[in-house]
Amino acid sequence: MNRRKFLYATAGLGAAGLAATAYQGTSFSKVTPGKTLQMPPLLDATQSQSFELQAMAGSTDFTGLGNAPTIGFNQSYLGPTLRVKKGAVSAKISNAINEPVTVHWHGLLIPGEQDGGPHQPIAPGESWSPELTISQPPATAWYHTHIHERTAVQVHAGLAGVMQISDGRDDERGLPNAYGVDDLMLVLQDRRFDENGQMIYMQNMMDVMHGFTGDTMVVNGQVGAVATVPKGIIRLRLLNGSNARIYSLAMSDSREMHLVATDGGYLPAPIALKQVQLAPGERVEVLVDFSNGNDVSLVSGADINQGPGGMMGRFQQLRNFFNSSEFTVIPFAVDERIMVTHKKLPDTLDGKTPSLTGLVSTTRRLSLDMGMGPGMMMRGMMGSGMTDQMAISGQSFDMNRIDIKAKRGVLERWIIRSDMLAHPFHIHGALFQVVKENGQKPRPEYSGWKDTVLVEQETELLVKFGQIASSKKPFMFHCHILEHEDAGMMGQFTVA
Ligand code: C2O
Ligand code: CU
Ligand code: CU
């Protein structure tokens, strides 16, 4: 197996000003011999259309060095893959940890009442039983806690999981769908561990400003595992469940990945790509051909927000340098004993390209602000956090302020600008079409329906609001770098 080293780089901020330093971190993905990647347990609710989740404390030995305290849903870290279909789904979420949590259904098109945002905390010992009215096409969505100012720390500890909306028709589409066999769910996270296997969170000022990034790759809550695949076409469903890291994904031998779905579900036809960027909150589904039998790895370039390119203005040459510092996300081993069911790629799928035409009722310009005043730098260095320092269009998140009032069924043009870093921008309860990125036609990964988009400079969206949200249970829009969200880079809107 081709073992690659992860070159970890960070920008050091000296008291005298900005000074860039790069250092080599620990080995990013050391393979543990014989450790096979496990899927999150599948909780198939397509028959019962009901499920229960319990947020619970536990401990997890990620590294073999010792048990780390973690939180999960129905288990010690992360939660089951919930599979549901169209119709009403009865959920019951109980909270067995000692602080309030919420469960937000990221990617579900449901009303604000069911959305599970910061206005719907579940107190310790309590439960919440929303009825989810699912009406959207198949998609890979996810769920995670969204508690006011504690989302980053709780997701870091493990409060997240996958939700698949299925219509049971993937055989007709020619798509692999045997969970964990030729249809692999891969939840990508990065973490830092100490010598006792404890997770280290938020150590320095860069964590505060850039959001937390780690030096160790964790896939489905596992470190150092190898994914076993049959010698055929495999479907990889990728979720970036990291707090802040942006992955630039590729196969180590540069073979193509055939993009079949993005946040909102299937594309009209596969798109062959050598590289896919995946920012926090985003999902892609790709088909990869393993029929030559060679072992290969999914690799990533460095996070475009890290290193001298991050703070100092992401210059292309620096970006190229960091893209060359590749690390392994997950290695694959082909096992010829596993029966191959898919040998060719589908020509077409039944997704639709969004082409939102019609009357645009409103154009809004939003800026994702990092409020880099000297005061904030000082506070960052003193480690006192920066609640209220991050903002959208100059306003830090306020639970009691509605920022936008949208109308149901109406189209709005949102022009989003990023300040300092690239920010993954997410809107609850709606899907959008990416119209332009920096004045250009968007990248191919953004041709489908999206709910989260990486804004590198300026990105133009056409948003269609189809779900109701009242001022009591409004929807959120925010940066999905969770530390930015918690520090105020979030707003709320109603849909009437
Ligand atoms: Cu995935 Cu408001 O979040
Ligand atoms: Cu969401
Ligand atoms: Cu951000």
Side-chain angles (χ1 to χ4, degrees):
M1 194 146 310
N2 195 357
R3 257 201 54 205
R4 287 159 197 268
K5 238 187 291 161
F6 177 62
L7 183 68
Y8 180 73
T10 187
L13 264 173
L18 295 159
T21 50
Y23 65 89
Q24 202 162 336
T26 57
S27 147
F28 206 84
S29 185
K30 221 187 293 166
V31 170
T32 312
K35 186 163 173 180
T36 304
L37 183 76
Q38 306 297 313
M39 293 297 106
L42 179 63
L43 202 166
D44 189 341
T46 51
Q47 296 309 311
S48 64
Q49 291 282 83
S50 71
F51 63 81
E52 290 188 15
L53 292 177
Q54 185 179 58
M56 51 169 66
S59 62
T60 307
D61 188 356
F62 293 96
T63 55
L65 300 168
N67 275 315
T70 50
I71 327 174
F73 290 107
N74 302 0
Q75 54 185 15
S76 66
Y77 184 80
L78 298 179
T81 296
L82 301 171
R83 188 174 283 173
V84 297
K85 64 181 185 210
K86 264 188 199 174
V89 178
S90 319
K92 181 178 182 192
I93 298 105
S94 51
N95 180 7
I97 70 166
N98 58 15
E99 62 173 299
V101 303
T102 83
V103 176
H104 164 57
W105 318 100
H106 180 141
L108 289 201
L109 300 172
I110 50 178
E113 287 286 329
Q114 307 165 16
D115 187 58
H119 294 271
Q120 285 144 309
I122 310 166
E126 304 276 291
S127 65
W128 178 51
S129 300
E131 177 133 300
L132 309 175
T133 48
I134 296 173
S135 58
Q136 67 198 91
T140 301
W142 63 307
Y143 57 95
H144 60 79
T145 182
H146 213 304
I147 200 81
H148 186 46
E149 294 178 345
R150 297 274 297 162
T151 298
V153 67
Q154 288 188 354
V155 170
H156 178 268
L159 279 187
V162 173
M163 179 177 249
Q164 299 179 347
I165 302 155
S166 162
D167 65 359
R169 291 185 45 239
D170 281 347
D171 280 335
E172 290 164 49
R173 294 185 182 94
L175 288 174
N177 57 77
Y179 186 73
V181 181
D182 59 11
D183 178 3
L184 305 190
M185 189 66 237
L186 303 173
V187 181
L188 310 186
Q189 297 180 309
D190 56 331
R191 295 288 183 266
R192 269 181 239 161
F193 297 97
D194 69 12
E195 63 280 5
N196 300 313
Q198 308 299 298
M199 290 202 283
I200 305 167
Y201 182 62
M202 297 302 269
Q203 266 193 314
N204 55 45
M205 181 181 183
M206 285 333 276
D207 292 346
V208 180
M209 288 200 311
H210 282 186
F212 170 86
T213 52
D215 57 9
T216 303
M217 199 61 221
V218 181
V219 179
N220 298 346
Q222 296 147 63
V223 175
V226 178
T228 308
V229 293
K231 198 179 164 182
I233 307 279
I234 310 301
R235 173 185 189 171
L236 306 176
R237 304 198 202 206
L238 301 157
L239 158 66
N240 185 347
S242 307
N243 282 33
R245 179 176 292 279
I246 299 162
Y247 300 88
S248 299
L249 301 167
M251 300 305 290
S252 53
D253 62 0
S254 302
R255 75 179 67 175
E256 283 170 331
M257 298 176 285
H258 303 268
L259 184 71
V260 292
T262 59
D263 300 340
Y266 297 128
L267 302 174
I271 301 173
L273 296 170
K274 295 242 158 133
Q275 204 196 49
V276 177
Q277 203 166 57
L278 198 67
E282 291 186 299
R283 292 86 66 208
V284 289
E285 297 183 34
V286 296
L287 301 181
V288 180
D289 188 352
F290 288 87
S291 60
N292 70 7
N294 294 342
D295 292 349
V296 64
S297 295
L298 180 69
V299 296
S300 174
D303 181 350
I304 60 166
N305 275 344
Q306 300 294 312
M311 255 325 159
M312 307 289 292
R314 292 153 283 116
F315 304 112
Q316 192 59 44
Q317 61 271 37
L318 288 167
R319 187 175 297 188
N320 290 344
F321 169 73
F322 283 102
N323 280 344
S324 70
S325 30
E326 203 170 271
F327 62 91
T328 298
V329 173
I330 184 82
F332 297 95
V334 176
D335 185 342
E336 304 204 3
R337 293 166 302 181
I338 309 173
M339 202 175 75
V340 176
T341 48
H342 289 82
K343 293 189 179 143
K344 65 177 202 50
L345 297 164
D347 297 325
T348 58
L349 300 155
D350 53 1
K352 294 218 172 22
T353 303
S355 63
L356 293 176
T357 48
L359 215 51
V360 173
S361 66
T362 316
T363 296
R364 303 183 196 271
R365 293 178 182 275
L366 304 179
S367 60
L368 307 175
D369 307 327
M370 291 189 57
M372 278 292 293
M376 184 188 110
M377 286 202 200
M378 224 39 223
R379 283 163 60 188
M381 279 183 287
M382 313 298 280
S384 53
M386 14 191 247
T387 307
D388 290 356
Q389 288 296 317
M390 305 253 177
I392 296 184
S393 302
Q395 295 212 281
S396 230
F397 181 65
D398 181 345
M399 287 272 266
N400 300 312
R401 185 190 67 233
I402 298 295
D403 300 279
I404 290 175
K405 291 179 179 156
K407 285 206 176 57
R408 188 178 184 185
V410 145
L411 273 188
E412 291 197 5
R413 186 182 311 277
W414 285 23
I415 301 168
I416 324 287
R417 271 202 80 81
S418 268
D419 174 30
M420 305 258 213
L421 296 175
H423 299 275
F425 182 74
H426 169 50
I427 307 178
H428 286 212
L431 288 175
F432 50 76
Q433 175 185 1
V434 183
V435 185
K436 276 183 201 148
E437 285 191 281
N438 310 325
Q440 311 278 306
K441 187 170 183 267
R443 65 191 86 181
E445 300 99 293
Y446 287 178
S447 61
W449 289 104
K450 295 285 294 168
D451 59 46
T452 308
V453 63
L454 186 66
V455 179
E456 299 198 48
Q457 281 165 29
E458 185 178 277
T459 301
E460 186 178 321
L461 313 174
L462 281 176
V463 194
K464 190 163 193 170
F465 299 97
Q467 300 291 332
I468 299 285
S470 70
S471 58
K472 297 253 176 308
K473 304 280 186 273
F475 285 135
M476 304 291 133
F477 55 94
H478 59 91
C479 175
H480 220 288
I481 292 179
L482 299 179
E483 289 76 14
H484 290 179
E485 174 195 324
D486 282 346
M489 202 182 282
M490 179 154 71
Q492 27 187 25
F493 67 99
T494 58
V495 182

